[in-house]
Amino acid sequence: MAREITPTVPVWEKYLLTVNEAVAYFGIGESKLRDFISTHKDEAFFVWNGSKALIKRKLFEKYIDTTLCAL
């Protein structure tokens, strides 16, 4: 029986990132990111799949760019 091949999408092309993918992509510690998610649950750059947070990559990039530039 033939096995289906699941295409692998590079992280930099994904629309949504898991916490682990976001940690690797943005270079943020997992604890720091999870704390940030828990204090910013209603932000537009998070999507909730049950209790699992997914990060909208481009919106989170914009947020980081504007927040870090403001410091």
Side-chain angles (χ1 to χ4, degrees):
M1 182 169 274
R3 294 173 56 191
E4 286 188 38
I5 298 174
T6 305
T8 303
V9 179
V11 174
W12 60 89
E13 291 183 6
K14 287 186 171 188
Y15 182 75
L16 297 172
L17 302 177
T18 64
V19 169
N20 290 335
E21 289 171 334
V23 163
Y25 183 79
F26 292 108
I28 301 170
E30 184 177 349
S31 296
K32 179 79 72 180
L33 184 56
R34 289 190 186 280
D35 288 344
F36 184 81
I37 291 168
S38 68
T39 57
H40 295 83
K41 289 182 179 183
D42 296 328
E43 294 288 344
F45 40 77
F46 295 128
V47 173
W48 291 91
N49 182 7
S51 61
K52 181 179 178 180
L54 298 170
I55 296 104
K56 293 181 183 179
R57 183 183 51 82
K58 288 184 180 182
L59 286 179
F60 196 59
E61 283 177 358
K62 286 181 185 178
Y63 175 81
I64 291 173
D65 288 343
T66 57
T67 302
L68 293 179
C69 289
L71 297 177

